[in-house]
Amino acid sequence: MNELPVVSIQNLRKSFTMNDGSGLLVLDDISLNVLQGEMVGFIGCSGCGKTTLLRIVGGFENPDSGYVLVDGKAHSQPEKSVLMLFQDLNQLLPWKTVLSNVTAPLLATGAAATKKEAESRALKRIAEVGLEKFAAAYPHQISGGMKQRAALARALALQPRVLLMDEPFASLDNITRKSLQILTRSVCEKYGVTVLFVTHSIDEAVIMADRIVVLNMNPGSIREVFDNSGRENLTSAQRGQRTGDVMASLGMGEM
Amino acid sequence: MMGIQRKMSGIQKIFLNKTVQSWLWLALILLVWEAVSRAGIVNRHILPPFSLVLERLCNELLTGKLGPQICNSLLVILQGFALSAALAAVLFLLCIRLPFLTNLVTMLCAVCNPLPGIALLPLIIMWFGVSTGAMLALIVHGVLWALMTQMLEGYHGIPAVYREWGRNINLTPMRMLTGIVIFAVMPGIIAGLRIGWGRAWRALISAEMLFGMIGQLGGLGYYIYTSRAYANLTNVMAGVLSIIVIGITVESLLFAQWEKRTIRKWGMAHE
Ligand SMILES: Nc1ncnc2c1ncn2[C@@H]1O[C@H](COP(=O)(O)OP(=O)(O)O)[C@@H](O)[C@H]1O
Ligand SMILES: [Mg+2]
């Protein structure tokens, strides 16, 4: 395959200066190519640098060395073509209704010319994530899962090339999380969005990702990449096998 | 819960309502006041009956003896607020653009905020003379520091995720300000103006009583002061009554409504 990768991560290295002045190497030589429409899940223990990696890919943070290309062009500043879905359940602007949270960015970025156009597009995305009844609600009036759905609609409405998700469902209950995983996968597939997401849940990775990247700890580096293609049609035994493989790679084999 | 509620009669429910209770207490106090005065338990010249005070208040308002004074005080305070808001906006923008100024402004706030305006009055008179300017300075002192403190606190407390979203969709600094920052600091603006109102209103009335006449009319404080000079206690009380009414009106109508329509509706009011 000589298809140009949408996201190309090349030899990223990042360290933070600790309070005592010493350096902490967080990411060490991370390289990965992500193809158009692919969903790649990064999995690793807490503190292994997942958030840092995603923030660098998003342009929110600069690497010490290495670089990120999006569609072959250097990506070192946040851009609206590469959107971040945060873990924070309160990422919507509380003074705007769900509808206006989705509409305002369309107008502010010039993605929609008129308020009418913006609203009609926003309403479609809101319906897609199942929130049509709550378009007029304020964020504080809806549940955490609904807020994440709205944040997803807000991002998708801007038609991003790449969506970055930092444990977006980590603080939700199990049932809500499951339905959001399936929803996210299907809407991102529908629009051909390339997705990089971070999780510490093996199940989440196996359900959502086309490829699963297992990260080492201290410093974070790529330990193993699993092909998880055909994930929709796995028998539960096969799914169990894949989960087991990832667990073993994470060093949880004995558990 | 349900059982208890079902057993309560309509009248009982009304009596349990907090607002109704407050009004009832107020009515009781006024009644006792009226009775004590009318029965001659306390000399009427020292404590005129409430009905008389109320009647006098209406009379003074109708004959135009009190209205202009009230308007004068309110006008000065409104000007003071507008001036404070403009100054606060400029300082706030400067602090955002030039972060090193934030420390200076925070320090100024910390020094000036606890200082009662009245304590500055001698200085203010020396600098501004006995003038409307002095009154404005007093009001600005009461409002500005409280407002600045609250706004800067609010600004530094803006959740990082709002700004990062703004950065992510490449909002211009201007849009970031008008679309995110202003709303995010709204609780601080309201809290600051509220504190400022309390301080400025008190300071203004006090200063009017100390200065006497300023401008053509003098304000509400001056009215009370002259009434006292003529030992006209009924008028003094009418003046005090209007201070209370204005205070409550601004507090529970203006600020409470503003809060209800904004930060309470948005779930941003910290209880
Ligand atoms: N801004 C920062 N300054 C210093 N250390 C940081 C900073 N951000 C993250 N770290 C450190 O980098 C490591 C990786 O953090 P993070 O990327 O948040 O991990 P994860 O998301 O996998 O839990 C942690 O040890 C964390 O303490
Ligand atoms: Mg993290």
Side-chain angles (χ1 to χ4, degrees), chain B residues 129-149:
Chain B
V130 178
S131 64
T132 311
M135 293 295 191
L136 288 180
L138 193 64
I139 294 168
V140 168
H141 170 79
V143 179
L144 182 62
W145 308 118
L147 184 56
M148 265 337 277
T149 308

Side-chain angles (χ1 to χ4, degrees), chain B residues 81-144:
Chain B
F81 260 75
L83 194 59
S84 308
L87 282 172
V90 171
L91 278 180
F92 184 70
L93 289 179
L94 279 174
C95 285
I96 292 182
R97 293 303 289 210
L98 310 167
F100 70 92
L101 276 183
T102 308
N103 270 338
L104 170 68
V105 175
T106 310
M107 188 268 287
L108 277 178
C109 287
V111 171
C112 298
N113 212 11
L115 197 60
I118 280 295
L120 282 181
L121 209 54
L123 279 180
I124 291 180
I125 295 177
M126 302 268 243
W127 291 338
F128 293 87
V130 178
S131 64
T132 311
M135 293 295 191
L136 288 180
L138 193 64
I139 294 168
V140 168
H141 170 79
V143 179
L144 182 62

